[in-house]
Amino acid sequence: MLYSEASGDKTGNLKIRINTDLEEAARLWIGLSLPTDLFGCWQIRNSFHESFGRPLHMVVAERGGKVCGFLALSRIEEEDYFGAFPGETWNGQTWLEQNTMPSSSADVAAALWDAAPENTVVRYVEQAIASGIADAEIDETGYLFHPSDYNWDFDEYWKTFSGKSRKRLSREIGSLGDIVIGPSEKIAGDIEWMFRVNIAEFGNLSYFSDYRFVEAFEKMIGWLSSSGMLRVTTATIGGVRAAVDLGAVFNSRYTVMAGATSPEFPGIAKAINLYHIRVSCQERFSQTDFLCGDFGWKERFHLTPRPLYVLSTRSAGYRLTVAAEGKDRCV
């Protein structure tokens, strides 16, 4: 481990060191970080770490011999940069959202970021963290549904659509036939179907075309299932699978992480998304996270946009390139 004295009056006796030991990283993450969202859970981060095997580079801040913050990074060797731990990448960019930098104060956070190595890019950072970091830029937009905005009443939400929109959606969904949507009764088969259909639709653009993502998802699903947080939702039409969505509930927050729809049933995605919103009201979740990536329906369904930020020690030109490219989720 390397130790060095942080400089500057703001940090006082703050010390910065680099940890590369995974066991210590787990202890610090679990002990210091209080995850409020699903992707803040160590078990999920470690599922992807085990599949991708990136070298750990954890910047740790200590004051008075006690850890007061950390910035967990992974070395993404083939792209020659450091990304948020565990460095799971698709097309050169990380996938997990709500990357964090636990710290006891804004000064500690600033010191951690100052100690980040050259060529560090941390995406999907919430505004509360990004606001204390110079040059933070908007990366992508996530989309949330807050059931409390509608008094946890789906009918109140439905009334926010114009009469014309309600008729069009009802007609489109009704034309699909005998739809049944609910919790999966054949989870393993439905998940396998989701992987296969997603790859068939998006080809190399699907995250699941990378075996490391499939392995990580399988590990993550195993932990979510054993923890009672897993939600697999299946839609059938006339007894035939039409859509499968994978999600999880953590801390009263429902996250819809991935899904697939059969091309035989165009429009089924609207039905299953409305189902998620209805369930969110019925179970009085604090929020439902439909993640980043705009396939055109999220704003039309009146979801709340949430900007997420990118922190980078790379050149401004690189950051602009990333922002211009963006990405649509294919999971």
Side-chain angles (χ1 to χ4, degrees), residues 250-311:
F250 174 75
N251 201 22
S252 188
R253 297 184 177 192
Y254 182 28
T255 301
V256 183
M257 294 182 284
T261 58
S262 169
E264 295 180 31
F265 305 107
I268 188 61
K270 298 182 179 68
I272 200 169
N273 285 326
L274 284 174
Y275 173 84
H276 293 313
I277 290 172
R278 182 185 293 277
V279 167
S280 300
C281 292
Q282 291 173 341
E283 300 197 32
R284 300 177 72 85
F285 295 144
S286 62
Q287 70 175 36
T288 298
D289 191 345
F290 287 93
L291 303 183
C292 293
D294 184 5
F295 291 89
W297 67 273
K298 295 181 180 179
E299 291 195 4
R300 293 202 301 273
F301 273 39
H302 305 169
L303 303 185
T304 302
R306 173 180 58 173
L308 295 173
Y309 293 79
V310 58
L311 313 180

Side-chain angles (χ1 to χ4, degrees), residues 62-78:
E62 293 180 336
R63 178 173 284 150
K66 295 183 178 180
V67 174
C68 55
F70 65 78
L71 172 61
L73 303 171
S74 290
R75 172 73 173 166
I76 302 169
E77 294 173 303
E78 74 274 19

Side-chain angles (χ1 to χ4, degrees), residues 134-329:
D135 300 328
E137 297 179 353
I138 292 179
D139 183 11
E140 287 203 46
T141 301
Y143 291 89
L144 303 172
F145 174 69
H146 296 105
S148 61
D149 291 347
Y150 309 95
N151 198 29
W152 293 278
D153 187 336
F154 179 83
D155 291 337
E156 289 296 317
Y157 163 75
W158 189 236
K159 289 177 183 175
T160 63
F161 289 74
S162 68
K164 185 177 179 180
S165 294
R166 290 199 301 269
K167 288 181 181 178
R168 186 179 65 251
L169 278 168
S170 297
R171 185 170 58 249
E172 185 175 354
I173 293 171
S175 68
L176 292 172
D178 183 16
I179 304 175
V180 177
I181 305 178
S184 170
E185 297 179 353
K186 301 176 180 177
I187 289 178
D190 285 344
I191 293 294
E192 190 278 331
W193 183 91
M194 184 190 75
F195 288 157
R196 178 163 43 82
V197 171
N198 195 287
I199 292 173
E201 181 176 2
F202 295 106
N204 291 335
L205 294 178
S206 170
Y207 291 81
F208 301 133
S209 64
D210 185 334
Y211 74 94
R212 295 172 300 180
F213 263 93
V214 174
E215 286 184 355
F217 263 75
E218 289 175 342
K219 293 173 184 174
M220 177 176 66
I221 288 168
W223 177 69
L224 291 171
S225 178
S226 64
S227 302
M229 296 191 287
L230 182 66
R231 296 289 184 106
V232 178
T233 303
T234 301
T236 61
I237 298 178
V240 177
R241 281 192 189 97
V244 173
D245 274 354
L246 168 66
V249 178
F250 174 75
N251 201 22
S252 188
R253 297 184 177 192
Y254 182 28
T255 301
V256 183
M257 294 182 284
T261 58
S262 169
E264 295 180 31
F265 305 107
I268 188 61
K270 298 182 179 68
I272 200 169
N273 285 326
L274 284 174
Y275 173 84
H276 293 313
I277 290 172
R278 182 185 293 277
V279 167
S280 300
C281 292
Q282 291 173 341
E283 300 197 32
R284 300 177 72 85
F285 295 144
S286 62
Q287 70 175 36
T288 298
D289 191 345
F290 287 93
L291 303 183
C292 293
D294 184 5
F295 291 89
W297 67 273
K298 295 181 180 179
E299 291 195 4
R300 293 202 301 273
F301 273 39
H302 305 169
L303 303 185
T304 302
R306 173 180 58 173
L308 295 173
Y309 293 79
V310 58
L311 313 180
S312 176
T313 61
R314 280 184 162 178
S315 67
Y318 173 83
R319 294 198 296 273
L320 290 174
T321 300
V322 168
E325 288 176 348
K327 78 177 194 298
D328 282 336
R329 292 192 176 285

